[in-house]
Amino acid sequence: MEFTLYTSAFCEPCVQTRAVLAEAKRLVPGATVREIDVAGEPEQAEALLIRNTPTVIITNGAGTEVFRAAGVPTLSQVLVAAAKAL
């Protein structure tokens, strides 16, 4: 499973989201975190309809999206989504 954070350079809430995802990764064996700067990869952000930063997308092992949050998700939200991704 992968936690993908779509971020931008001057995004203060992105700092909080990084901390939430780091803790979730620590608690969920095998989870990976990937960070994508929307300015650096605008085509990918556009293709996925990313309109706000931070946006977190959690995908299962097959690459299917199981959770999306625009804004800072709570650790509980991320852990519930991770359980759905298993």
Side-chain angles (χ1 to χ4, degrees):
M1 118 187 28
E2 183 171 79
F3 306 146
T4 305
L5 169 60
Y6 291 86
T7 186
S8 55
F10 300 103
C11 173
E12 183 61 33
C14 294
V15 175
Q16 296 168 303
T17 303
R18 280 184 199 101
V20 170
L21 295 180
E23 181 63 10
K25 180 182 176 191
R26 188 182 73 75
L27 295 170
V28 179
T32 61
V33 176
R34 182 168 59 130
E35 188 169 328
I36 297 174
D37 185 327
V38 297
E41 298 191 43
E43 297 84 15
Q44 182 175 0
E46 182 65 28
L48 293 172
L49 303 175
I50 305 298
R51 302 286 182 243
N52 304 14
T53 57
T55 294
V56 174
I57 296 177
I58 297 176
T59 54
N60 64 17
T64 303
E65 182 178 321
V66 297
F67 176 81
R68 179 183 290 235
V72 182
T74 66
L75 179 59
S76 295
Q77 288 174 313
V78 173
L79 293 177
V80 166
K84 289 179 184 177
L86 292 176

